[in-house]
Amino acid sequence: MDEQNKISSFDVNLMASSLLWLISTMIGNKASTRISKEWNKSRVMWMMVIADRGSTKTHAINAIIRPLKNIDKENHDTFDEEIKHYDEKSKEPRPRWQRTFLEDGTREGFIKALRFNPGGLGLVKDELHGWMADMDRHSGGRGGDEAFWLASYNNETYTKDIKGDEDST
């Protein structure tokens, strides 16, 4: 990180916190810590950066998470190739896109993506305001997103049946 800081002048603290978030995302549900006999805690980390405009926060975060974003892109390219050759009539399971991040989407989309990425996913939003503005945008303001994100914070199960969602990617 010191080398990146010398080249770009990105804030080392911001890069370090981004690295911690990235590591927690990569660990996801693959490991947990036993707090007590009845309570295990997964490595769920939420990171919110508040900084002045022009502080290069987006660039600093992207410098850290870019390698995994590139892997997600490669996985998507592989998925695209596999789905082109997939025969719906075959007994083989339908190809799925394995990924680490989501950058946009609805709660329903996040739930669908989690179904095929059981280790967990990270959500990357460039602006906190954008994340808040997305709340309930596809439910006509009828709610549910806040409950979903609160359950996600505690790494709890969240189940929702979505019409026409028998087989999604």
Side-chain angles (χ1 to χ4, degrees), residues 28-30 98-99 113-121 155:
N29 294 325
K30 298 172 192 87
Q98 296 299 306
R99 52 187 154 173
L114 278 170
R115 183 178 308 144
F116 304 112
N117 295 276
L121 290 167
N155 200 30

Side-chain angles (χ1 to χ4, degrees), residues 14-163:
L14 181 53
M15 290 188 295
S17 59
S18 298
L19 182 60
L20 286 173
W21 175 83
L22 180 67
I23 291 168
S24 96
T25 299
M26 292 169 60
I27 293 171
N29 294 325
K30 298 172 192 87
S32 64
T33 301
R34 180 179 221 127
I35 306 297
S36 69
K37 189 175 179 181
E38 297 85 26
W39 182 22
N40 285 333
K41 186 71 178 144
S42 292
R43 278 114 177 117
V44 174
M45 181 178 174
W46 291 44
M47 183 180 83
M48 179 182 354
V49 175
I50 300 174
D52 292 329
R53 287 180 188 213
S55 63
T56 67
K57 60 187 175 292
T58 300
H59 303 295
I61 293 168
N62 283 337
I64 298 299
I65 67 174
R66 185 173 297 112
L68 244 56
K69 284 179 136 180
N70 290 341
I71 290 171
D72 276 5
K73 184 187 178 318
E74 290 170 14
N75 287 345
H76 189 265
D77 293 345
T78 300
F79 166 75
D80 279 347
E81 274 305 305
E82 289 174 351
I83 206 74
K84 282 179 193 174
H85 304 291
Y86 176 68
D87 180 6
E88 294 283 342
K89 296 173 185 158
S90 75
K91 295 189 192 283
E92 294 294 316
R94 190 172 195 273
R96 304 292 180 201
W97 177 20
Q98 296 299 306
R99 52 187 154 173
T100 309
F101 302 109
L102 291 175
E103 295 184 67
D104 196 10
T106 63
R107 165 181 37 127
E108 291 83 3
F110 203 80
I111 292 168
K112 286 180 190 179
L114 278 170
R115 183 178 308 144
F116 304 112
N117 295 276
L121 290 167
L123 175 66
V124 178
K125 293 293 278 188
D126 191 40
E127 296 289 336
L128 182 59
H129 178 266
W131 181 58
M132 299 299 287
D134 282 350
M135 294 275 185
D136 301 322
R137 72 177 171 162
H138 291 279
S139 64
R142 291 188 303 274
D145 284 2
E146 183 179 345
F148 168 74
W149 290 113
L150 288 172
S152 297
Y153 178 78
N154 289 316
N155 200 30
E156 294 174 4
T157 302
Y158 186 91
T159 306
K160 178 174 176 149
D161 291 328
I162 302 167
K163 182 178 179 181

